[in-house]
Amino acid sequence: MKASRFTEAQKAFVLKQGEEGTPVAEVCRKAGISQATYVNWSKEDQRTRYGGLLPDEMRRLKALEDENSRLKKIVADLTLDR
């Protein structure tokens, strides 16, 4: 699957503009995306994941998810060693 050229913070910013009442066509034109892309980003799972988070909060969330993943791997390795 091709990696997105937009970061999670950029996606959240575009979605937030649309939620604030800016016409979707204008938001898409400024961001350089199609309206279909906007609709895909604004699906319920995307909105609940990114909605309302500021970029620094998103970075913190990503760091916590990475740390949680790392700790789970350590626990799994220690469990296997027993």
Side-chain angles (χ1 to χ4, degrees), residues 12-22 24 27 38 42 47 51-52:
F13 179 73
V14 169
L15 291 174
K16 190 166 187 94
Q17 284 181 331
E19 290 174 357
E20 290 176 349
T22 308
V24 174
V27 171
Y38 180 86
S42 65
R47 196 171 330 132

Side-chain angles (χ1 to χ4, degrees), residues 52-80:
L53 293 180
L54 299 174
D56 58 332
E57 294 172 332
M58 292 181 69
R59 274 187 240 112
R60 178 70 178 143
L61 176 63
K62 177 69 173 154
L64 289 172
E65 288 174 345
D66 292 342
E67 181 181 6
N68 192 24
S69 173
R70 183 180 60 82
L71 293 173
K72 284 182 179 181
K73 288 178 184 176
I74 290 172
V75 168
D77 289 342
L78 291 174
T79 304
L80 287 174

